[in-house]
């Protein structure tokens, strides 16, 4: 029997909402005990790791990444990734879903299927077949479905199949050709921009359709006060809606795009300081349900271009936890709540066995020195690309070890 004991740690349980001193015992890839493992639970023959006061928490569950990037995931403490369907070809066929769902040794990957054929927003894909092939949700991808009739049918079918619909919330008619949000920064730089209300308009329609159909609707990333107010009100009415956000939209405003920093061109775009403050408040009051990396690595051919021609997207997996810990140091939320936003909440939403320290669960755990200082360097970030808007930023908190299924990675 393969056993590993991690002792002398601070254990964060995102389900119980606790932070206690102790450790974990791993047995044949599963969690065998959590808590006081010094009290006779492990044997002389066990491998024992002294955490030296580091945090132990479940491996992160990254909802809605755009690339399978094991090196970046392991560096960031991510053991489970939900993969968006925006690929070439798009994930709109059962065979493609089965291929992704087969997984990888170093990372659990759960595919999210394309809601429409080719992600074109014209014709609904075979939702039932793709669910049976292993899809955990369906998504509109990087774009919004403009056809309200199609969106209504999609939500109705998804409700019947108990599938979450992941929606991108920007009204396409308003954001066409825009590369920034309306405001002083876009005006000063002479960039094509769209009003922030484009997000709320998309959210309002989708919420009404979700309320009508009873579907489970998840907004991949929200970034404006107006949209979050709509979600907050919908939750009070009992609409089955959830939403996520990235650290970038919590820590940066649209001023970060100047002077023409293409690494800060994101979708949705970085917003005003007042919208950023509203997002922080929505994390604190529970309106925002989860944090995700928005991991969308882009090579120099997509980013080393004039700002208006560069593709939106950022590499976020390797820096997800270090940046998110800022919320704890700033007093926005406490550590167990942060862990829940990164682990238990996305796992629960998409019906996964990950994101927990329950005895008998897969031993996906990470060790984190939450006090370790380091500086983000785009050129040396592990993974497929280093297009981060946080280049050269000093941060605090480093993942020391990522363990998946009881096996240390890296």
């Amino acid at each position: 029997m393969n056993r590993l004991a991690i002792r002398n740690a601070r254990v964060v349980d995102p389900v119980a909402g606790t932070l206690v001193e102790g450790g974990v015992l791993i047995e044949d890839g599963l969690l065998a005990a959590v808590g006081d493992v010094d009290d006779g639970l492990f044997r002389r023959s066990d491998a024992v790791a002294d955490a030296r006061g580091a945090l132990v928490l479940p491996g992160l569950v990254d909802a809605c990444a755009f690339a399978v990037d094991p090196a970046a995931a392991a560096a960031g403490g991510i053991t489970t990734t939900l993969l968006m369907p925006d690929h070439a070809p798009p994930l709109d066929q059962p065979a493609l879903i089965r291929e992704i769902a087969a997984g990888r040794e170093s990372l659990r990957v759960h595919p999210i299927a394309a809601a429409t054929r080719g992600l074109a927003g014209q014709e609904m894909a075979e939702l039932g077949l793709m669910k049976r092939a292993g899809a955990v949700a369906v998504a509109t991808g990087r774009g919004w479905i403009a056809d309200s009739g199609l969106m209504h049918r999609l939500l109705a079918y998804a409700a019947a199949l108990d599938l979450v619909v992941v929606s991108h919330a920007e009204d396409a008619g308003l954001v066409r050709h825009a590369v920034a949000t309306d405001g002083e920064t876009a005006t000063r730089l002479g960039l094509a921009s769209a009003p922030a209300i484009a997000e709320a308009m998309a959210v309002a329609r989708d919420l009404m359709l979700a309320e009508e159909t009873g579907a489970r609707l998840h907004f991949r990333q929200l970034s404006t006060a107006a949209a979050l107010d709509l979600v907050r009100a919908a939750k009070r009415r009992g609409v089955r809606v959830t939403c996520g956000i990235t650290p970038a939209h919590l820590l940066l405003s649209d001023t970060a795009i100047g002077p023409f920093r293409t690494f800060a061109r994101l979708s949705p775009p970085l917003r005003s300081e007042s919208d950023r403050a509203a997002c922080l408040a929505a994390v604190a009051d529970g309106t925002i349900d989860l944090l995700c990396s928005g991991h969308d690595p882009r090579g120099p051919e997509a980013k080393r271009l004039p700002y208006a021609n560069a593709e939106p997207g950022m590499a976020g997996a390797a820096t997800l936890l270090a940046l998110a810990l800022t919320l704890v140091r700033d007093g926005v939320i406490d550590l167990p709540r942060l862990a829940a936003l990164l682990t238990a909440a996305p796992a629960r939403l998409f019906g996964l066995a990950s994101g927990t320290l329950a005895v008998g669960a897969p031993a996906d755990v990470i060790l984190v020195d939450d006090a370790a200082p380091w500086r983000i360097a785009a050129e040396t970030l592990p993974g497929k690309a280093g297009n981060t808007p946080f280049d050269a930023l000093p941060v605090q908190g480093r993942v020391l070890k990522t363990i998946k299924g009881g096996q240390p990675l890296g």
Side-chain angles (χ1 to χ4, degrees), residues 2-401:
N2 181 19
R3 288 166 58 105
L4 168 65
I6 300 173
R7 55 185 294 274
N8 192 25
R10 292 175 292 145
V11 180
V12 184
D13 187 330
V15 177
T18 56
L19 170 61
V20 298
E21 294 185 356
V24 297
L25 182 65
I26 297 170
E27 196 171 88
D28 289 338
L30 302 177
L31 288 165
V34 178
D36 189 5
V37 297
D38 288 339
D39 190 21
L41 276 176
F42 62 89
R43 305 171 302 200
R44 287 181 180 275
S45 59
D46 293 340
V48 178
D50 187 343
R52 301 184 178 185
L55 297 173
V56 168
L57 59 155
L60 308 191
V61 180
D62 188 13
C64 312
F66 287 89
V68 177
D69 196 344
I78 296 166
T79 53
T80 300
T81 289
L82 285 87
L83 183 65
M84 289 290 285
D86 308 67
H87 292 264
L91 302 182
D92 62 356
Q93 297 293 328
L96 298 172
I97 297 297
R98 277 192 291 271
E99 182 181 343
I100 298 295
R104 286 159 176 76
E105 186 175 342
S106 58
L107 182 65
R108 300 183 198 281
V109 181
H110 297 280
I112 297 176
T116 58
R117 295 187 188 279
L119 287 171
Q122 302 293 322
E123 183 182 0
M124 198 162 61
E126 295 284 357
L127 307 190
L129 293 179
M130 290 193 289
K131 180 182 181 182
R132 285 196 286 277
V136 297
V138 297
T140 66
R142 291 189 175 97
W144 185 63
I145 293 179
D147 185 331
S148 298
L150 176 61
M151 190 64 178
H152 182 265
R153 290 194 299 277
L154 168 64
L155 288 166
Y157 271 92
L161 295 167
D162 196 27
L163 270 172
V164 177
V165 175
V166 180
S167 180
H168 178 84
E170 283 185 296
D171 186 297
L174 282 174
V175 301
R176 188 174 296 117
H177 307 308
V179 297
T181 198
D182 275 359
E184 180 184 342
T185 301
T187 301
R188 180 166 46 82
L189 297 177
L191 295 173
S193 61
I197 199 73
E199 182 175 275
M201 291 183 67
V203 167
R205 186 206 66 174
D206 287 356
L207 282 175
M208 294 180 72
L209 295 176
E211 191 166 12
E212 169 73 14
T213 58
R216 298 165 65 196
L217 176 64
H218 176 70
F219 294 109
R220 179 170 55 86
Q221 292 177 228
L222 294 186
S223 56
T224 63
L228 291 165
D229 282 344
L230 290 169
V231 169
R232 194 175 284 116
K235 286 185 172 187
R236 285 198 293 266
R237 297 197 305 274
V239 180
R240 303 169 77 190
V241 59
T242 52
C243 61
I245 196 169
T246 68
H249 291 89
L250 291 169
L251 303 180
L252 299 175
S253 70
D254 60 343
T255 59
I257 69 175
F260 303 105
R261 295 182 65 230
T262 58
F263 281 8
R265 187 181 170 196
L266 308 179
S267 177
L270 294 173
R271 303 296 189 181
S272 67
E273 184 60 26
S274 61
D275 276 326
R276 187 183 78 86
C279 290
L280 288 169
V283 169
D285 71 15
T287 302
I288 290 177
D289 299 89
L290 60 87
L291 299 180
C292 58
S293 71
H295 190 60
D296 196 1
R298 301 278 190 167
E301 71 284 355
K303 283 294 188 181
R304 303 290 188 191
L305 296 169
Y307 190 90
N309 298 330
E311 297 288 341
M314 59 171 281
T319 58
L320 173 59
L321 182 58
L323 293 169
L325 281 167
T326 303
L327 302 177
V328 176
R329 283 192 293 277
D330 290 349
V332 178
I333 51 176
D334 62 18
L335 196 51
R337 172 65 178 155
L338 176 68
L341 290 168
L342 292 165
T343 62
R348 184 169 54 250
L349 174 62
F350 293 100
L352 309 179
S354 307
T356 176
L357 291 180
V359 171
D364 296 351
V365 298
I366 57 175
L367 274 68
V368 178
D369 182 349
D370 56 331
W374 59 291
R375 187 180 295 273
I376 295 173
E379 295 298 326
T380 59
L381 275 182
K384 293 183 175 178
N387 53 300
T388 171
F390 295 101
D391 188 27
L393 180 74
V395 292
Q396 191 173 332
R398 183 181 283 280
V399 176
L400 302 175
K401 183 61 68 177

